[in-house]
């Protein structure tokens, strides 16, 4: 990792208090999150948390294409292939533990966090953004949790925030990886405000020019007031997710995954291109991923955020021990033939024992995330 893959600055304000400002600075990879980037950002977040003169944090990405297009899954795949069968890849265990710690810390950070989610925000990028107190999307924001296409599932707290979306949207997004625009993100609860990307310098200037008290609640309210004049009015018609809410609820339903599978596959020829594309992504995705995504949302429904991260840690390591994750990354990102050979090849062949094996703990002693609260 280049030494400047995370840019750290501070924003001075008139009262002598400051905002920390961290920028993911790997635009060539769409700011894909590596373990080295996590290890650079996490301790800085802790330093800002402990510094009483720091009243908040701004988190953004370099370049005009992405805030963060996800985690560095190609590196995880290389680690899986370099590890003896039956052994946990140490690089994967380290990555998931430290990524989830950082995500959890942002959720529980005792000061306002402004995340500027411009461009692509996917997978691990959504994990960072979801924990911020103030989440901005722009006219060019495109969010997704497309893990079903690489043999994974929506992690980074997805089992927590997907369960809190309107209707049955959360499971629909987990199964289809459907892309979301800014209006979709607001409707789903992944964003708080839509602001033009061209207004970003004005927002940062307003932040630098304001007086901040150091009181978390007061400063959070002030940040909301500061963003309000820049906010674009919502347009319900601009959100395919909102427009199709009733149909999505019907497609997903409250019954078995086999029934959902049948309805989604029947929708690949739907007249609406957005919905047809979502159904096609499901049909082409990993059957194991569909099954474990369905199951983890069920298991996580009444768990705390910390419990969800512990559950996801076990499941993510389990995905590294099964074939579809490495195969999906190979097909999509390495060989790029887009012809993954899923194993099992059909949902009917995915057994309850196969699903349970993904959740099995693979560590000695206490859970690596036992201390999260």
């Amino acid at each position: 990792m280049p030494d400047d893959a995370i840019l750290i600055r501070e924003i001075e304000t008139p009262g002598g208090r400051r905002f920390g400002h961290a920028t993911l600075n790997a635009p060539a990879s769409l700011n894909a999150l590596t373990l080295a980037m996590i290890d650079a950002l996490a301790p800085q977040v802790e330093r800002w948390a402990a510094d009483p003169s720091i009243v908040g944090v701004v988190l953004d990405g370099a370049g005009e294409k992405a805030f963060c297009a996800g985690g560095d899954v190609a590196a995880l795949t290389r680690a899986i292939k370099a590890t003896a069968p039956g052994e946990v890849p140490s690089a994967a265990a380290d990555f998931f533990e430290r990524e989830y710690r950082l995500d959890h810390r942002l959720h529980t950070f005792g000061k306002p966090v402004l995340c500027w989610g411009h461009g692509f925000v996917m997978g691990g990028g959504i994990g960072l953004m979801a924990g911020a107190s103030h989440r901005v999307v722009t006219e060019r924001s495109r969010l997704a949790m497309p893990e079903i296409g690489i043999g994974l599932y929506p992690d980074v707290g997805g089992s927590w925030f997907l369960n809190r979306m309107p209707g049955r949207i959360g499971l629909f997004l987990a199964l289809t990886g459907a892309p979301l625009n800014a209006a979709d993100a607001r409707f789903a609860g992944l964003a708080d405000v839509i602001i033009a990307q061209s207004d970003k310098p004005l927002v940062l200037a307003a932040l630098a020019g304001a007086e901040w008290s150091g009181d978390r609640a007061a400063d959070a309210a002030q940040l909301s007031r500061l963003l309000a004049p820049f906010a674009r009015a919502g347009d319900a018609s601009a959100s395919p997710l909102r427009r199709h809410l009733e149909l999505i609820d019907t497609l997903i339903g409250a019954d078995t995954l086999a029934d959902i599978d049948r309805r989604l596959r029947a929708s690949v020829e739907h007249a609406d291109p957005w919905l047809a594309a979502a159904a096609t992504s499901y049909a082409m995705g990993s059957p194991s991923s569909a099954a474990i995504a369905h199951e983890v949302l069920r298991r996580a429904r009444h768990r705390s955020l910390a419990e969800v991260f512990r559950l996801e840690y076990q499941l993510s390591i389990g995905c590294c021990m099964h074939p579809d994750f490495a195969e999906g990354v190979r097909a999509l990102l390495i060989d790029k033939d887009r012809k993954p050979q899923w194993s099992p090849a059909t949902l009917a062949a995915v057994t309850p024992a196969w699903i349970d094996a993904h959740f099995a703990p693979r560590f000695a002693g206490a859970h690596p995330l036992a201390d999260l609260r």
Side-chain angles (χ1 to χ4, degrees):
M1 182 190 77
D3 291 339
D4 59 353
I6 300 288
L7 298 179
I8 302 297
R9 302 177 294 280
E10 291 184 355
I11 301 171
E12 301 285 345
T13 71
R17 294 184 170 90
R18 308 184 311 283
F19 267 76
H21 186 178
T23 300
L24 309 183
N25 187 40
S29 66
L30 301 180
N31 300 318
L33 199 61
T34 66
L35 181 58
M37 292 167 72
I38 293 168
D39 286 346
L41 181 57
Q44 183 60 60
V45 168
E46 292 299 337
R47 286 190 286 271
W48 282 333
D51 187 342
S53 66
I54 295 292
V55 294
V57 169
V58 176
L59 184 60
D60 59 11
E64 288 299 312
K65 293 183 178 180
F67 163 58
C68 176
D72 186 2
V73 293
L76 290 177
T77 298
R78 289 192 294 271
I80 292 169
K81 293 189 173 184
T83 304
E87 293 184 9
V88 174
S90 59
D94 290 343
F95 181 86
F96 288 121
E97 177 187 348
R98 275 134 62 184
E99 182 186 27
Y100 296 173
R101 283 187 179 278
L102 175 58
D103 292 337
H104 182 268
R105 190 68 181 97
L106 292 172
H107 276 276
T108 58
F109 198 67
K111 303 172 184 182
V113 177
L114 169 61
C115 182
W116 195 274
H118 175 64
F120 290 111
V121 188
M122 297 192 292
I126 290 185
L128 295 175
M129 189 172 177
S133 61
H134 295 69
R135 301 159 300 170
V136 173
V137 287
T138 75
E139 70 280 4
R140 287 174 53 196
S141 293
R142 294 295 180 268
L143 289 75
M145 297 290 284
E147 288 82 0
I148 191 167
I150 59 168
L152 198 57
Y153 71 101
D155 63 330
V156 293
S159 311
W160 187 82
F161 59 74
L162 289 173
N163 265 329
R164 285 157 177 78
M165 290 182 176
R168 303 196 181 279
I169 282 175
L171 181 54
F172 172 80
L173 295 179
L175 293 176
T176 66
L180 308 179
N181 62 25
D184 291 324
R186 279 206 64 201
F187 178 65
L190 288 174
D192 302 301
V193 61
I194 303 171
I195 298 178
Q197 173 68 1
S198 59
D199 282 341
K200 182 181 179 182
L202 300 178
V203 171
L204 294 180
L207 185 149
E211 295 269 358
W212 304 90
S213 68
D215 177 82
R216 196 272 181 197
D219 287 342
Q222 168 144 303
L223 183 54
S224 296
R225 292 192 296 270
L226 185 150
L227 295 175
F230 298 98
R232 291 189 168 189
D235 179 3
S237 66
S239 170
L241 199 63
R242 183 170 185 171
R243 194 164 62 246
H244 294 306
L245 178 61
E246 289 189 13
L247 179 55
I248 288 170
D249 283 353
T250 299
L251 284 173
I252 300 304
D255 42 14
T256 68
L257 181 57
D259 292 320
I260 297 170
D261 174 84
R262 174 179 50 80
R263 291 192 292 265
L264 281 174
R265 290 180 182 277
S267 299
V268 297
E269 302 293 338
H270 196 278
D272 185 284
W274 182 87
L275 199 60
T280 300
S281 294
Y282 169 77
M284 295 177 64
S286 161
S288 292
S289 289
I292 62 176
H294 183 267
E295 178 64 12
V296 74
L297 286 179
R298 185 192 69 80
R299 294 190 188 193
R301 184 170 302 278
H302 301 297
R303 300 196 187 205
S304 70
L305 179 63
E307 290 169 337
V308 163
F309 277 119
R310 285 190 280 272
L311 180 65
E312 289 186 353
Y313 174 85
Q314 292 180 200
L315 181 52
S316 296
I317 297 300
C319 287
C320 293
M321 307 295 288
H322 288 78
D324 275 6
F325 180 30
E327 171 61 11
V329 173
R330 179 208 64 77
L332 184 67
L333 300 175
I334 299 176
D335 296 342
K336 300 182 180 179
D337 59 24
R338 295 184 177 271
K339 296 179 180 179
Q341 301 300 308
W342 303 125
S343 179
T346 66
L347 185 64
V350 178
T351 66
W354 181 259
I355 298 171
D356 287 342
H358 283 73
F359 287 88
R362 293 177 170 86
F363 49 83
H367 196 292
L369 298 176
D371 57 311
L372 297 188
R373 294 292 181 266

